[in-house]
Amino acid sequence: LKTIARKNSINIFKKNINSVFIFGLLIVVSIIFSIGSEFFLSLGTLKILMISISTIGIVCIGQTFLLIAGDFDISVGSVVGFSSVLLAKMINLFEITDVWKSILVIILTLTAGAVIGFINGLLVTKTKINALITTIAMLSIVIGLALLISNSLPISLNAPFFIAIGSGTIFGFIPYTLVILLFLYLVSYLLLKRTVFGRYVYAVGANEEAAKLAGIKAGRIKILLFTATSSLAALAGIFLASKTLSALASYGKPYPLITIAACVLGGCRIRGGVGGKGGALGSLLAIIFLMVIRNGLVLIDQPQAIQDILTGIILLLAVFFSEKK
Amino acid sequence: MKKLLILLLCSIFSISIIIGAIGCKTEPVEEVAEEVEEAEEEVAEEVEEAEEEVAEEVEEAEEALDLTFGYVCKRLESNWFVIESAGIEKFCDEMGIEYIAADAKLEEERFLELVDQLILQGVDALMVVPPSPQIGPAITKKCEDAGIPVMTIDDPIIDHYDNPVPHIGMPTREVGILGGEALSELAKERGFFDDGNVVKVANASGEKVPVWMERTEGFTQGLLDNTPLEAEDIIFVETEDTYIDNALPAVTSTVSLNPDATHWIATGPNDDAAIAAIRAFESLGIEPTNYLACGLGGYSLALEEFDKGNDSFITVGLRPDLEGYQAAEILYNYLVNGVPMPELTFVGGTILTVDNYKELSPFYEGE
């Protein structure tokens, strides 16, 4: 029994090696930043970190599913900007202050995000256009739409409901948006690890043709994943607009790069149509790691150039190890 | 009887004097001594309290001077903001203030994170150049929660109570007027308005950008108020984006269509447009003695023109370093001396010429 238990422990460790590795890295950089800045190990830093990951982390969930299924979405950043603008425009146009109407606007915005993702999915699966090209083209279209809606200008968002979403906390400390993020990660983890759907996603990513032969409707799964990814990006846009009390077409611009980097660092593979690796936990830890690096470097007063160089090196290493796997 | 009465009175008097003297020497002396002692104790206590108060005040004053200023900028990589930051740093160095600058890389979300981070690092005052004015209320709310003053440089914002935030920046129209006045003076010196001369003005600008138009209107006002020029002498040259590529053909066409003009004055809402006009004059064979051009900015393009020795070109040199320096000074005076922050502070431009650009331009980096 002892041997079985030990083998099980080793298996769990092996399966989560990426997460363990990132967690180790997280501790190492935290120690370095704590030595470098008296402010790092503080509730203030923790709060900033929680706020930072609560929007980009949501986009990371969708990207994780897509990468596991062997694809990715470059248009997520533009969907973030588009949804923020769409939401703010509707709120201002109809002068909405009522909670229920606000919820209705949120649903409409999420639906708009879902439609964009659905079109992405259709194009990738039905016309067989590469996901990179499809989503880059979609990025351009969506940014154009956002610019049209906003007249290329930032829009203020001063509705009380959204102010509460953006700055509201539980116990005066934990942002609402973080609670939603953690809930979404939990659901994603369970979906991927404990459901048939999760196994299908891994199967499609590992070998799409084999998955099809095994009766898995790979196309439908991919369309669903693209739709979900864009919907999540739209949700991130809503959170971002609530946090900044404004909306702008350029919101979310760096998200595609950062989220893909986080997913790869968290264990996903980026090999053009081949996935089958990674998980929600790894991606969550990786996005926390990247945000810790970003915020920690500011606290230890490193110039922007160093921050850029380090981010680039981390990205390269992540891709290198991804390829090695 | 009379003698007895006198003796009795003398005795009573003597006795009363003796009693009085004894009384004065015994009980009152002790009381006075006690009073003096009490008074001394009181004075000592008061002195001690006063010393403590002074020590506390000194400590508070020292703490007040132990300041940290923060600057969150939308794009710190840009030359303009690098120089603006250097201006803040200069003031901070002079006053022994710690200074932290942060670059938001044109991201609103990052900008707000950096505001949080600088507050966490204990800044006593914040200077901001936000990527978009709409995040103003979110910035000021954070500063209010942290109890620190905030000031905007270059780009004004409205706070979460819909009030303007103290701002320092460039007066758009006034810098144009300054350029127009300088051009007028030079044109008069060079005899542009002598009999027989026909002077025309080419205002290269773009209607798409309101700020450009405001600068151009300033140039026009400066010229009309200080020269014999009439409104019909001033030609508006519409350019797509005021950069050389688009401004050059537009000015060339305008000059070609006005062959009667013997002298030309060109203005531009930036250096690019003014230098485009110079290139147009050169291509049409107009001598530098017969034209004047004034740009706005005083960056590398203008410095290159000065390096060529062109004395027919001037520019309204902007001073981001002064903006930064004065912003820090205003915040310092507010925090330390209790001087209220002015709602609006303008830092005007300086006329740069081939003779003074090396001394006055903050962008000049030496030979």
Side-chain angles (χ1 to χ4, degrees):
Chain A
L1 274 173
K2 272 185 180 177
T3 317
I4 293 166
R6 190 186 293 168
K7 274 185 180 174
N8 278 343
S9 307
I10 292 167
N11 277 341
I12 291 167
F13 182 79
K14 275 185 178 173
K15 277 183 180 175
N16 293 301
I17 187 78
N18 241 87
S19 303
V20 174
F21 176 67
I22 296 164
F23 190 69
L25 271 180
L26 198 57
I27 290 171
V28 171
V29 294
S30 298
I31 292 168
I32 294 169
F33 289 141
S34 309
I35 296 165
S37 168
E38 57 180 308
F39 302 106
F40 184 77
L41 278 186
S42 68
L43 285 178
T45 304
L46 187 61
K47 198 173 176 184
I48 293 169
L49 191 65
M50 288 194 292
I51 295 169
S52 309
I53 62 164
S54 58
T55 41
I56 197 164
I58 289 174
V59 181
C60 215
I61 296 173
Q63 207 73 273
T64 303
F65 273 85
L66 271 180
L67 279 162
I68 292 171
D71 274 318
F72 52 85
D73 187 347
I74 301 290
S75 69
V76 282
S78 61
V79 175
V80 169
F82 169 78
S83 58
S84 76
V85 161
L86 184 66
L87 176 98
K89 191 76 179 180
M90 284 195 279
I91 294 289
N92 291 346
L93 194 66
F94 303 113
E95 295 173 358
I96 293 169
T97 50
D98 177 57
V99 173
W100 291 109
K101 283 179 184 167
S102 300
I103 291 171
L104 181 68
V105 170
I106 290 176
I107 292 167
L108 286 173
T109 309
L110 292 176
T111 309
V115 169
I116 294 166
F118 182 74
I119 297 169
N120 273 337
L122 271 183
L123 289 170
V124 171
T125 54
K126 303 294 177 194
T127 63
K128 303 288 176 196
I129 304 171
N130 181 298
L132 176 73
I133 306 298
T134 305
T135 56
I136 283 178
M138 187 56 80
L139 175 145
S140 180
I141 295 166
V142 173
I143 281 187
L145 284 173
L147 288 170
L148 272 179
I149 293 169
S150 65
N151 291 326
S152 308
L153 292 169
I155 306 172
S156 294
L157 180 69
N158 272 326
F161 180 71
F162 293 97
I163 295 171
I165 290 179
S167 55
T169 53
I170 292 174
F171 310 124
F173 186 70
I174 304 163
Y176 292 156
T177 47
L178 184 82
V179 176
I180 295 168
L181 174 83
L182 293 177
F183 172 74
L184 288 172
Y185 266 99
L186 181 67
V187 170
S188 309
Y189 179 82
L190 294 175
L191 263 177
L192 281 170
K193 301 289 180 188
R194 298 272 186 271
T195 65
V196 176
F197 173 76
R199 284 199 289 276
Y200 284 178
V201 173
Y202 278 104
V204 170
N207 190 330
E208 194 174 334
E209 290 310 311
K212 279 178 184 168
L213 288 173
I216 298 170
K217 288 172 176 163
R220 277 192 194 177
I221 285 176
K222 284 199 169 185
I223 291 171
L224 184 65
L225 292 182
F226 272 107
T227 308
T229 303
S230 270
S231 304
L232 287 166
L235 182 64
I238 294 166
F239 284 176
L240 187 52
S242 307
K243 198 161 76 173
T244 59
L245 305 181
S246 65
L248 196 61
S250 64
Y251 273 4
K253 209 164 59 181
Y255 280 21
L257 188 68
I258 299 174
T259 51
I260 290 173
C263 294
V264 172
L265 194 64
C268 295
R269 288 197 290 189
I270 181 161
R271 294 175 72 178
V274 182
K277 297 274 180 188
L281 181 64
S283 295
L284 176 64
L285 284 170
I287 196 74
I288 293 173
F289 173 74
L290 288 178
M291 291 298 113
V292 164
I293 292 273
R294 193 161 91 151
N295 294 322
L297 286 171
V298 174
L299 283 178
I300 61 168
D301 207 16
Q302 287 304 307
Q304 188 61 47
I306 300 292
Q307 294 177 41
D308 291 341
I309 292 167
L310 255 177
T311 310
I313 291 171
I314 290 167
L315 245 171
L316 275 176
L317 286 175
V319 175
F320 175 76
F321 284 118
S322 161
E323 288 300 307
K324 280 275 175 190
K325 278 183 272 180
Chain B
M1 188 61 191
K2 200 177 177 182
K3 279 183 184 174
L4 189 67
L5 193 64
I6 291 165
L7 187 67
L8 187 67
L9 280 171
C10 285
S11 303
I12 292 167
F13 184 69
S14 305
I15 288 165
S16 67
I17 288 173
I18 290 162
I19 290 169
I22 290 167
C24 282
K25 278 184 182 173
T26 54
E27 286 175 16
V29 166
E30 280 170 12
E31 277 176 19
V32 167
E34 274 174 24
E35 279 171 15
V36 166
E37 203 175 315
E38 277 173 18
E40 278 176 354
E41 276 173 18
E42 274 176 25
V43 168
E45 272 175 25
E46 279 173 16
V47 167
E48 201 175 321
E49 276 174 20
E51 277 177 354
E52 275 173 18
E53 274 176 24
V54 168
E56 273 174 25
E57 277 172 17
V58 167
E59 202 175 320
E60 277 173 18
E62 278 174 357
E63 274 174 19
L65 290 173
D66 187 16
L67 296 170
T68 304
F69 281 4
Y71 173 63
V72 186
C73 179
K74 62 181 173 188
R75 196 180 171 85
L76 202 45
E77 297 157 349
S78 144
N79 200 14
W80 174 274
F81 298 116
V82 168
I83 290 170
E84 193 163 272
S85 176
I88 301 172
E89 200 167 8
K90 186 170 180 262
F91 180 83
C92 291
D93 284 347
E94 284 171 13
M95 305 310 290
I97 299 168
E98 198 182 324
Y99 171 57
I100 308 168
D103 183 4
K105 300 187 91 173
L106 292 173
E107 288 173 39
E108 282 76 5
E109 186 184 12
R110 182 80 183 125
F111 193 95
L112 292 174
E113 275 173 26
L114 289 169
V115 169
D116 280 333
Q117 278 194 326
L118 262 60
I119 288 170
L120 176 69
Q121 284 174 270
V123 294
D124 298 285
L126 205 57
M127 284 153 276
V128 294
V129 188
S132 67
Q134 271 64 21
I135 61 166
I139 297 168
T140 54
K141 178 75 173 60
K142 285 176 189 293
C143 291
E144 188 189 65
D145 290 347
I148 60 164
V150 62
M151 184 153 189
T152 58
I153 313 180
D154 298 318
D155 301 321
I157 57 170
I158 300 293
D159 70 9
H160 52 296
Y161 299 114
D162 268 350
N163 297 319
V165 172
H167 172 72
I168 187 163
M170 178 183 71
T172 314
R173 191 182 177 91
E174 282 73 7
V175 287
I177 295 173
L178 185 70
E181 287 168 351
L183 280 170
S184 306
E185 202 178 312
L186 264 178
K188 284 180 200 165
E189 273 176 24
R190 297 189 184 185
F192 271 37
F193 303 107
D194 291 351
D195 287 344
N197 289 345
V198 179
V199 184
K200 294 278 179 192
V201 178
N203 277 341
S205 194
E207 276 179 328
K208 277 183 190 169
V209 182
V211 174
W212 290 343
M213 290 308 293
E214 219 177 318
R215 292 175 187 172
T216 302
E217 283 163 14
F219 275 117
T220 306
Q221 188 184 326
L223 283 165
L224 289 176
D225 290 350
N226 297 284
T227 62
L229 286 165
E230 300 290 335
E232 58 266 25
D233 298 322
I234 294 171
I235 304 162
F236 179 73
V237 184
E238 170 74 40
T239 68
E240 179 68 21
D241 58 11
T242 75
Y243 294 116
I244 289 183
D245 290 354
N246 284 310
L248 180 57
V251 180
T252 309
S253 306
T254 303
V255 176
S256 306
L257 291 170
N258 288 276
D260 56 323
T262 57
H263 291 73
W264 279 95
I265 295 173
T267 74
N270 52 22
D271 289 329
D272 299 63
I275 288 166
I278 292 176
R279 297 288 95 84
F281 298 144
E282 286 170 351
S283 68
L284 295 167
I286 299 170
E287 292 295 318
T289 46
N290 288 0
Y291 73 76
L292 284 170
C294 182
L296 203 145
Y299 317 131
S300 54
L301 208 59
L303 300 183
E304 281 168 24
E305 198 61 29
F306 288 135
D307 285 340
K308 288 180 193 167
N310 188 348
D311 65 352
S312 291
F313 170 70
I314 59 170
T315 187
V316 184
L318 303 176
R319 297 296 303 269
D321 55 331
L322 278 186
E323 285 184 17
Y325 187 94
Q326 286 186 20
E329 194 175 29
I330 288 167
L331 284 168
Y332 178 84
N333 283 329
Y334 172 73
L335 287 172
V336 178
N337 304 321
V339 179
M341 289 194 282
E343 196 178 289
L344 205 56
T345 308
F346 282 139
V347 176
T350 309
I351 295 295
L352 298 179
T353 67
V354 73
D355 299 320
N356 69 10
Y357 78 103
K358 287 181 183 171
E359 298 155 41
L360 298 181
S361 170
F363 299 97
Y364 181 69
E365 291 170 346
E367 298 288 338

